[in-house]
Amino acid sequence: DHRMSIGEPTCESSWTIVMLSPTLSWLESYNPSHDNVDQVMRYSIRRALIYPYIRNYDFVCDTILGDVLKILSGGKRVILRCLLEINAIFDSSE
């Protein structure tokens, strides 16, 4: 959502986040013995291509996965900041 709205949440932001996150939309949990990083990334790419209004494989694989890698490589502080921003978006939505 941050990439699409240039950091300014919209009325559709909470819907976009929930649709892209299987953990939030279906309470999906990943089991480390059955699911590895490759499979989780594959699930995420599929959801990103199915639900939002931009369905571009190259955009998802290059840009979005690059954003995810930057966030994860930033450490706990960056991840927590992103989660708090998501929480604020949910709090402000109807």
Side-chain angles (χ1 to χ4, degrees), residues 30-31 34-44 46:
Y30 296 105
N31 186 350
H34 298 294
D35 298 318
N36 58 27
V37 175
D38 292 335
Q39 288 177 327
V40 172
M41 294 303 278
R42 190 174 307 128
Y43 301 152
S44 299
R46 286 179 183 164

Side-chain angles (χ1 to χ4, degrees), residues 16-36:
T16 302
I17 293 168
V18 168
M19 286 297 111
L20 288 177
S21 172
T23 304
L24 295 174
S25 64
W26 291 95
L27 301 176
E28 178 71 33
S29 60
Y30 296 105
N31 186 350
S33 62
H34 298 294
D35 298 318
N36 58 27

Side-chain angles (χ1 to χ4, degrees), residues 41-75:
M41 294 303 278
R42 190 174 307 128
Y43 301 152
S44 299
I45 290 170
R46 286 179 183 164
R47 289 186 76 88
L49 291 173
I50 291 171
Y51 286 106
Y53 47 88
I54 292 187
R55 296 182 177 132
N56 184 320
Y57 185 79
D58 293 330
F59 178 74
V60 170
C61 288
D62 297 336
T63 309
I64 303 299
L65 290 181
D67 291 346
V68 170
L69 289 175
K70 285 180 189 176
I71 291 169
L72 294 177
S73 65

Side-chain angles (χ1 to χ4, degrees), residues 1 4-5 7-16 53 89 92-93:
D1 184 67
M4 300 311 300
S5 63
E8 190 67 34
T10 65
C11 61
E12 301 255 333
S13 294
S14 58
W15 179 87
T16 302
Y53 47 88
I89 290 171
S92 67
S93 67

